[in-house]
Amino acid sequence: MSKLRTSAIAAAAILVLVHAGVLALRYGTDAASLWGDWIDTAAPFVACVVCWLVSRHAGPFGRRVWRLVCFSALLTAIGQALYTDYYDYVHAPLGTLWPSDLLVFFWVVPIFMTLFLSPRDAGSGYEWLRVFDFAQMCCLVLAIELSEIYVPSRWQSSGQAMQLRALHAAIVFFGLIALSFILRAWLSRNRVERAYFGRMGAFLTFYAFVVNGTLYYQASGNYKQGEWSDLTWTIGYCFLILIAGTWNEREEGVELGAQSRSLQLLAQFSPLIIPAAVFPMVLAIAREQFYWSVVLVMVSFAAAGGRLFVVQRQLLISSQELRKNLLLLQGITESTTDAVFVKDREGRYVMVNPAAARFVNRTVEDVIGKTDVEIFTPETGRPIMEKDRQILQTGETVTNEEQGTAAGVTRTFLTTKGPFRDPNGNITGVLGIARDITDRQRADAKFRGLLESAPDSMVVTDRAGRIVLVNAQTEKLFGYKREELLNQPIELLLPERFRDRHPTHRSDFTDSPTTRDMGKRLQLFGLRKNGTEFPIEVSLSPLETEQGVLISSGIRDISERVALEERLRQSQKMEAVGRLAGGIAHDFNNLLTIILGYSQILADGLPADSRLADSNAQIKSAAERAAGITRQLLAFSRKQVLSPRVINLNDIVLNLDSLLRRLIGEDIEVMTVPAPDLGMVKADPGQIEQVIMNLALNSRDAMLDGGKLTLETSNASLDETYAREHQPVDPGRYVMLAVSDTGHGMSSETLSRIFEPFYTTKEVGKGTGLGLSMVYGIVKQSGGYIWVYSEPDQGTTFKIYLPRVDQPAERGSPETQPPPKVARGSETILLVEDDPQLRELSSSVLTHVGYKVLTASTPEEGLAICESDHQDIRLLVTDVVMPRMNGRQLAEKIQKRCPQMRVLYISGYTDNAIVHYGVLDSGLWFLPKPFTLSALVAKVREVLDSATKTAPAR
């Protein structure tokens, strides 16, 4: 439009300047007249083109009116061309009839037709009503021209008088038309209407002055073409070009106010006045223009009749549509479950539907004419009426919740109320719709109660990911207040590294929302307000609401579960490694027993000072060191045999104080802090001493530049909270032993592996990696727990918790002297051992000292030997751990046949067959592997010489 605007202004300026230039150069000449007439022909044609282009870009109203103006401009250009031909080329006298005279009044008919158009009109503008109006206007203009111009007798009697008559007619005709447009612009409430009719009224007023001035000069006989008066015609047409070219009124969003009924009636029936004006003019010319008189009268009355028919038909259709709409509206209001009502300015109900009456337990007739104070209780009715008065004052539509008590029942309504206006736009009352939300409020309250009491965090978001609802657990879990989270993006609760990808995942879910769990196999994390992250599980569910689909997220903090799973994995790993270590120790003990046995045999047959004797001594020493390693492995795997008794840990710690000081060195300060009134524990004192020694040596290696070692005891009561955080601790009373140092500490990676066998951070050759593994095994086998607290450069603390017992401390058994040299024997012994080398060695040694030895490689073979009439078997020597049947089961079966047979168990790996919780079952004889041959011979003699069949209590 800006390009068209510029072109129109340029075209108008060029036309005016060219005409002014012609007049300046050829003033008063025929050339000036000829050029001026052709410029005045071109100007309305340019206006025609501009109006057509404007109509293509205008709205519905602008398109109709500017196309009619385009038609008028085209008629003007045609009339001006005919005038130029007759005046400048034919040189016809002014007192004669010219073809252009027909268009002097007729060209304005299309413009005049725009008076009957309005932005409220529907359709394209080519309705039958407008066709009849156009025919009426054509009849009126033709009647004026015939009566004033085409009456030969009047032109023949006095040409100058007729020119004056034409002047008067033009003044009245164009003056009334211009006045009509100005009045229409003044009375219009619509901005687009006012702009168009105001501009066109200004143009027609200017044109009326130009045309009437020209007719006046022609009537006075002083009219000459080629003078400055001709420029006014060009300016008038260029004025129309500017009016059209600068049109930029937008019809979108323009409020179409209601027309008054007076204007509507005037617009509908004013065209019917035209036949009354046409008829007297036709009678005046009927004698000389009879044919045209008949045609004009018939067309005028036919157009008037057609218009009446169309108007009546439109009224009939409108009444039918109105009745249909009223029935439809009545059906909607009566069938809806919402209350629909209208009140007058005094608050009295003038219309209610059945639903509104049911809300207050009344009939429709009983509600009409009453106010809210009369229908509801005064306490609830007055606030409702006060809100209605505010709507009448402000004229605004509002939605709020209102409570009303009627017939003893209080209900809550969601009400939307606005001003009710009459056809003139005046507020005459209040129109409203109300919905009973009492049940919904109860459901909402129940839902919010469930939401607030939910153990998980509940976060509800809209499709854009904005938080619309949270519960109390969300505040507790994330550390935000509820007001801080509402309308915030859900990504606020996620760590920074997940925020970029989360909108894509959220969009995928909203595109196909289904209930699903997240985080079962993924690592999801939440972010608290203080910046800490924690593992979470998320359950997503779509919620269908009036506001659209909302996403409900159930968020669960799984920090405890993750920690428990990690501790469980660590415990399972330690258990698996312990089983492996115990199995290795079992097989290794068999080998060590063989090595030590044959080493002893060699020692008995070699000179004491020989070189081979020294070599044999080295073999025995290495085997004994290996035996020490297997004992550590058994301690870690909790498969060693303990000798527990009730002890006071303070006694153990204080007894080791001097030894630790000498062992650790002078550059490390040793501090012992025994607790007074320390409770008792039941444990193997030798094993506890071994635990303390290993921990102390480990601390010494962590303090190469000196430091402080602290041994501390205290009573401890571990509650449920501590037990949950330190699985698998059982709540209860314990005695704590803490060993702390100020060494270099350990990293989290080292902490996760310190109890694994053979894991060490020391240099090669400076540690076996079994010291802490043995500590772990002894503590666990004693029914206790051990925890490590350490950070790099912050030292380390080992805390050992042993179950507290309410028994007095037991005194240890006195040291026994080594037994005298074992005597030889002659009894029959059944030896059951699955290891062939160990079986051969043990059999030969026992045979060597006089015993009769029967050997078996499997428990089944041992049973078979016992059943073969060997009633003289005095002793069963059996391994404990054997395939298909353990030694305890074998002994039970044999003793059923031979009740007096005694049993000696030998094993390097204990299981639940004879040992429970590290304690040997009472009454059993046991020799742990690896053992020496002399120890075997001595133990066999001890069992056979015992006064009782069972071993004495330990």
Side-chain angles (χ1 to χ4, degrees), residues 419-476:
F420 182 73
R421 302 179 185 271
D422 62 12
N424 296 323
N426 299 319
I427 299 177
T428 60
V430 175
L431 169 66
I433 301 176
R435 175 171 295 177
D436 186 357
I437 60 171
T438 306
D439 294 337
R440 191 179 77 181
Q441 278 196 331
R442 291 171 183 166
D444 288 345
K446 184 177 181 181
F447 170 75
R448 289 186 178 275
L450 292 174
L451 185 71
E452 292 300 321
S453 61
D456 293 337
S457 165
M458 302 299 296
V459 180
V460 181
T461 60
D462 57 18
R463 292 184 66 90
R466 296 282 175 179
I467 299 174
V468 298
L469 183 65
V470 297
N471 65 345
Q473 186 63 23
T474 303
E475 298 180 283
K476 179 180 178 182

Side-chain angles (χ1 to χ4, degrees), residues 586 589-590 634 641 833 878-881 905-911 914 926-931:
H586 170 264
N589 275 331
N590 285 342
L634 287 173
V641 179
E833 171 62 56
T878 179
D879 193 4
V880 175
V881 181
Y905 296 99
I906 57 175
S907 180
Y909 176 81
T910 63
D911 60 7
I914 62 173
F926 177 70
L927 178 64
K929 297 178 183 179
F931 51 79

Side-chain angles (χ1 to χ4, degrees), residues 158-380:
S158 176
Q160 186 175 6
M162 287 305 300
Q163 288 180 346
L164 289 174
R165 189 178 182 88
L167 171 62
H168 296 156
I171 292 174
V172 174
F173 181 76
F174 287 107
L176 288 176
I177 291 178
L179 181 62
S180 299
F181 275 84
I182 292 173
L183 287 175
R184 179 69 188 273
W186 182 52
L187 295 175
S188 177
R189 298 178 181 177
N190 181 266
R191 173 176 56 80
V192 179
E193 273 186 289
R194 195 162 52 248
Y196 167 74
F197 289 112
R199 294 185 181 204
M200 200 53 61
F203 164 70
L204 291 173
T205 301
F206 184 83
Y207 183 84
F209 279 104
V210 172
V211 70
N212 290 320
T214 302
L215 290 175
Y216 174 77
Y217 278 111
Q218 287 180 350
S220 64
N222 297 322
Y223 178 72
K224 292 182 180 180
Q225 286 203 213
E227 297 183 354
W228 289 107
S229 59
D230 293 347
L231 186 60
T232 58
W233 288 89
T234 304
I235 293 174
Y237 297 138
C238 290
F239 187 26
L240 180 60
I241 294 173
L242 293 176
I243 289 174
T246 57
W247 178 263
N248 60 353
E249 299 294 332
R250 295 187 176 273
E251 299 182 33
E252 295 83 357
V254 176
E255 182 180 357
L256 302 178
Q259 277 188 326
S260 65
R261 299 186 63 86
S262 300
L263 287 178
Q264 291 180 9
L265 291 174
L266 180 63
Q268 288 291 337
F269 296 102
S270 59
L272 298 178
I273 304 174
I274 296 177
V278 170
F279 189 70
M281 288 188 288
V282 169
L283 289 177
I285 62 172
R287 182 176 299 175
E288 299 185 46
Q289 295 285 355
F290 179 76
Y291 173 77
W292 282 107
S293 299
V294 174
V295 171
L296 286 176
V297 170
M298 292 181 64
V299 171
S300 179
F301 279 96
R307 194 179 203 287
L308 281 174
F309 174 77
V310 171
V311 170
Q312 290 299 322
R313 185 170 179 274
Q314 287 181 342
L315 290 175
L316 179 62
I317 293 174
S318 297
S319 64
Q320 292 176 345
E321 290 292 331
L322 179 61
R323 179 177 177 79
K324 180 180 177 182
N325 292 336
L326 287 175
L327 291 175
L328 178 62
L329 180 61
Q330 182 180 3
I332 293 174
T333 56
E334 290 184 355
S335 62
T336 183
T337 57
D338 294 338
V340 181
F341 56 87
V342 178
K343 307 177 188 177
D344 60 17
R345 296 188 67 88
E346 284 71 35
R348 292 186 295 267
Y349 285 91
V350 296
M351 191 283 290
V352 294
N353 67 338
R358 286 195 299 269
F359 284 170
V360 293
N361 295 324
R362 294 173 181 255
T363 64
V364 173
E365 294 76 14
D366 194 22
V367 175
I368 299 297
K370 292 184 172 61
T371 65
D372 290 306
V373 174
E374 297 172 299
I375 294 175
F376 301 105
T377 60
E379 293 77 13
T380 58

Side-chain angles (χ1 to χ4, degrees), residues 585 588-589 591-593 595-596 599 614-634 758 765 768 770 774 929-930 932:
F588 200 44
N589 275 331
L591 296 176
L592 290 175
T593 303
I595 294 172
L596 288 172
S599 175
D614 292 338
S615 298
N616 185 63
Q618 293 297 325
I619 293 173
K620 182 181 179 182
S621 175
E624 289 175 346
R625 289 199 304 272
I629 294 176
T630 59
R631 281 194 296 273
Q632 290 178 319
L633 285 174
L634 287 173
F758 305 110
T768 63
L770 289 171
M774 185 187 68
K929 297 178 183 179
T932 63

Side-chain angles (χ1 to χ4, degrees), residues 744-764:
H744 52 65
M746 290 178 281
S747 64
S748 57
E749 179 182 0
T750 302
L751 282 174
S752 65
R753 301 186 60 189
I754 56 172
F755 295 126
E756 294 180 10
F758 305 110
Y759 175 78
T760 179
T761 58
K762 301 175 184 178
E763 298 179 5
V764 177

